[in-house]
Amino acid sequence: MLGNRSRDTAPELLLRSLVHAAGLRYRVAAKPLPKMRRTADMVFRPVKVAVFIDGCFWHGCPEHFVMPKTNRPYWEDKIGRNIQRDQDTDNRLAEAGWLVLRFWEHLKPEACAANVIEAVAARRQEAE
C-alpha cells in the first residue's frame, strides 16, 4: 500500500490541468480546516470549495469496487472506514460552510472540471 499515491494521481492531474486552464487558482492537497487532519485534492479557500477525487477501489465505488477475495475481513473494515471518514469529512466541512465536491476517478475530467468551475463561480457571485 505504500506504493499507492495519495496525491498527484492521473485523474487529479487531468482535472487540475483543466481547472487551471480555465483561469482558476487553488491549493493542492491542502487542509480545508486548519484543525482537521484531512486534506482535499483541491481547495478554493476564498469561496470555501473543497474538491475530492476518490479512487474507485479505496473509496468503495458502487459501480467498480470489487472486494478482494483474500483477507476479506481486513478489506471490508478498511474500505468501510474510508467511506465513513469521507462522510464525516463532508459533514464537518458542510457545518463550517464549505461546499464539498466529490468525483469518482472514472468520471470524465471535462465534466468534473465544468462542475468545479461552475461551483466556484457561483460561490464568488454569492460573496459579492
Side-chain angles (χ1 to χ4, degrees):
M1 284 189 285
L2 292 174
N4 294 321
R5 290 177 169 265
S6 62
R7 60 176 279 185
D8 298 336
T9 62
E12 285 179 42
L13 294 174
L14 283 169
L15 179 61
R16 289 187 343 219
S17 174
L18 293 168
V19 171
H20 190 272
L24 298 181
R25 301 300 177 256
Y26 46 84
R27 299 279 176 200
V28 175
K31 293 179 184 179
L33 301 175
K35 294 183 180 180
M36 192 164 79
R37 289 186 52 203
R38 299 167 190 166
T39 61
D41 297 314
M42 298 168 65
V43 175
F44 299 86
R45 276 208 179 91
V47 292
K48 291 187 173 184
V49 174
V51 179
F52 297 87
I53 297 98
D54 293 339
C56 290
F57 177 77
W58 296 105
H59 297 269
C61 172
E63 280 185 55
H64 299 107
F65 177 70
V66 176
M67 185 65 66
K69 290 182 177 39
T70 58
N71 206 3
R72 190 175 184 95
Y74 169 81
W75 288 110
E76 286 173 346
D77 184 51
K78 170 71 175 155
I79 301 304
R81 282 193 324 266
N82 288 351
I83 292 168
Q84 287 177 338
R85 186 191 62 234
D86 291 344
Q87 291 170 346
D88 179 60
T89 300
D90 293 353
N91 293 338
R92 289 169 65 180
L93 288 173
E95 287 171 7
W98 284 75
L99 173 64
V100 177
L101 300 175
R102 284 195 180 270
F103 304 105
W104 292 109
E105 68 178 343
H106 66 265
L107 296 176
K108 297 214 179 291
E110 296 82 9
C112 298
N115 286 340
V116 171
I117 294 163
E118 183 180 321
V120 170
R123 296 289 285 230
R124 281 183 178 161
Q125 274 195 324
E126 289 173 11
E128 291 177 356

